[in-house]
Amino acid sequence: MNGIGWFQIGVSDAQAAHRFYGDLFGWTFAEDEAYQMITTPDEQSIKGGLAVGQPAHAVFCVVVEDVPGVCGRAEAAGGKVLVPPTTTDDGLVFANITDPEGNHFGIFQPRS
């Protein structure tokens, strides 16, 4: 827990992102329910996905045990909750927050 377990890139044009990241880094992409999953050539790399149709962003996501609790502690420490704790249909809980400087990152609690 509390390690980086996911990265996400928001894009409006999936094909342009495929060309850019594929040509630059050798990444490949596969359709999934919510994301286009990214596979990197490095087997030790964390997993990630393209969030097609979302505003431009590139964020890392930290795996936590208690998303609502971390959101509360982040606000108490001067951060801000951008996307409140949200549970997906398959049980994943996530939120997006900023640190006091405004740096955006995600947190998520694995499916039970």
Side-chain angles (χ1 to χ4, degrees):
M1 291 292 153
N2 298 327
I4 298 172
W6 176 260
F7 70 92
Q8 173 176 303
I9 303 169
V11 299
S12 60
D13 184 340
Q15 293 308 313
H18 291 186
R19 284 189 304 275
F20 179 80
Y21 291 106
D23 291 349
L24 190 61
F25 298 124
W27 294 359
T28 58
F29 304 87
E31 293 289 332
D32 194 322
E33 290 180 30
Y35 294 93
Q36 291 192 5
M37 302 300 292
I38 298 170
T39 300
T40 71
D42 182 351
E43 292 178 12
Q44 302 300 315
S45 178
I46 62 172
K47 300 297 180 193
L50 290 181
V52 180
Q54 291 190 14
H57 67 274
V59 298
F60 64 88
C61 301
V62 179
V63 183
V64 299
E65 290 185 46
D66 176 22
V67 168
V70 171
C71 286
R73 291 196 313 275
E75 288 180 317
K80 181 177 176 183
V81 176
L82 299 176
V83 175
T86 304
T87 303
T88 64
D89 290 341
D90 62 357
L92 179 91
V93 181
F94 70 92
N96 290 326
I97 58 182
T98 65
D99 67 16
E101 295 287 328
N103 295 302
H104 175 185
F105 62 97
I107 58 174
F108 72 96
Q109 187 175 323
R111 298 165 183 90
S112 323

